[in-house]
Amino acid sequence: EVQLVESGGGLVQPGRSLRLSCAVSGFSFDDYAMHWVRQVPGKGLEWVSGIPWNSGLVAYADSVRGRFTISRDNAQNSLYLQMDNLRPEDTAFYYCARGPLYYNDWFLPHFDFWGQGTLVTVSS
Amino acid sequence: DVVLTQTPLSLAVTPGQPASISCKSSQSLLHTNGKTYLYWYVQRPGQSPQPLIYELSRRFSGVPDRFSGSGSGTNFTLTISRAETEDVGIYYCVEGIHLPPAFGGGTKVEIK
């Protein structure tokens, strides 16, 4: 059974940092691209960042570029999102999602499995 | 940037009846490889988003065949042929032609 479990969310002050993790099981993690998608409570979905299986390329939404860093550890079957200089508008549920299998398609929003999400609240 | 506009914002459907959601893109989603990179997801109450349709009209594994995707270029439709009570939720279209991918604003489906 495919499982994605996010952790690391919580309440943090503006300007501080937080690191989210996504532990996966039930599939060959190092075969797939992975992505982060967020959702302000009660609002729509926003793609945040993505990374192919070999971390060769990464991509970010304009709203987080330069502040967030996506990474993965294939040996640990884990995806990460390092969030620095957090702002109140970063308050959201953060979901990790499994992306495409094929490297050339790594950036496509082909998300066949999602985690349950972790809530990040940025407030003083 | 690409903008996806979904209509209606909300929709009340009678069980057993069809329902359609429109998604209009500000740019063509037809790739030079012939594929149309338009996806549909549903977020049921209290749950994470779940996949429905990829590449315009292909169902993700396990998705019931009452869900279908259609359209071309910049105009797309998600159709539920016979709505069921479990279909309540917010439906989102998302495009894959551009990076970053853009989501539509969502359509809330309720069951009468």
Side-chain angles (χ1 to χ4, degrees):
Chain A
E1 179 189 8
V2 172
Q3 287 193 320
L4 294 78
V5 180
E6 301 93 338
S7 60
L11 175 62
V12 61
Q13 293 179 330
R16 304 298 290 268
S17 298
L18 209 57
R19 189 194 196 205
L20 304 184
S21 298
C22 173
V24 311
S25 60
F27 66 97
S28 297
F29 181 65
D30 54 8
D31 282 342
Y32 289 84
M34 296 294 296
H35 295 256
W36 290 98
V37 177
R38 69 183 180 183
Q39 184 175 37
V40 173
K43 302 297 184 182
L45 299 170
E46 179 189 19
W47 178 85
V48 174
S49 183
I51 186 169
W53 70 271
N54 64 353
S55 305
L57 293 169
V58 297
Y60 300 96
D62 291 345
S63 56
V64 307
R65 187 176 296 113
R67 301 186 299 120
F68 289 13
T69 303
I70 190 172
S71 62
R72 63 190 294 162
D73 184 337
N74 288 345
Q76 297 295 322
N77 288 343
S78 294
L79 174 73
Y80 306 102
L81 187 67
Q82 176 66 40
M83 304 186 294
D84 298 324
N85 190 20
L86 282 160
R87 304 168 179 169
E89 55 264 36
D90 295 320
T91 295
F93 287 97
Y94 285 75
Y95 299 98
C96 63
R98 190 174 84 169
L101 173 62
Y102 299 109
Y103 180 78
N104 287 343
D105 296 338
W106 75 270
F107 54 89
L108 292 175
H110 186 110
F111 307 142
D112 56 355
F113 290 94
W114 298 63
Q116 84 289 348
T118 187
L119 178 61
V120 172
T121 303
V122 184
S123 175
S124 54
Chain B
D1 290 355
V2 178
V3 176
L4 298 183
T5 302
Q6 290 185 231
T7 56
L9 291 178
S10 64
L11 182 61
V13 185
T14 301
Q17 294 300 304
S20 292
I21 299 169
S22 170
C23 175
K24 295 188 177 183
S25 174
S26 61
Q27 300 179 29
S28 175
L29 302 185
L30 176 62
H31 195 276
T32 53
N33 65 10
K35 294 181 180 180
T36 298
Y37 289 106
L38 191 280
Y39 300 73
W40 291 95
Y41 294 86
V42 60
Q43 187 173 29
R44 298 186 171 90
Q47 297 185 19
S48 305
Q50 298 174 10
L52 290 174
I53 301 289
Y54 67 99
E55 294 174 10
L56 178 65
S57 60
R58 305 178 70 174
R59 282 185 293 275
F60 279 90
S61 177
V63 174
D65 60 8
R66 66 177 181 277
F67 291 95
S68 62
S70 62
S72 63
T74 61
N75 292 309
F76 309 99
T77 301
L78 176 72
T79 301
I80 308 173
S81 60
R82 296 173 303 280
E84 297 189 3
T85 55
E86 66 189 38
D87 297 336
V88 296
I90 301 176
Y91 290 75
Y92 296 94
C93 57
V94 58
E95 62 88 15
I97 283 283
H98 304 91
L99 194 61
F103 281 87
T107 295
K108 185 175 184 179
V109 172
E110 299 173 317
I111 302 297
K112 292 180 182 177

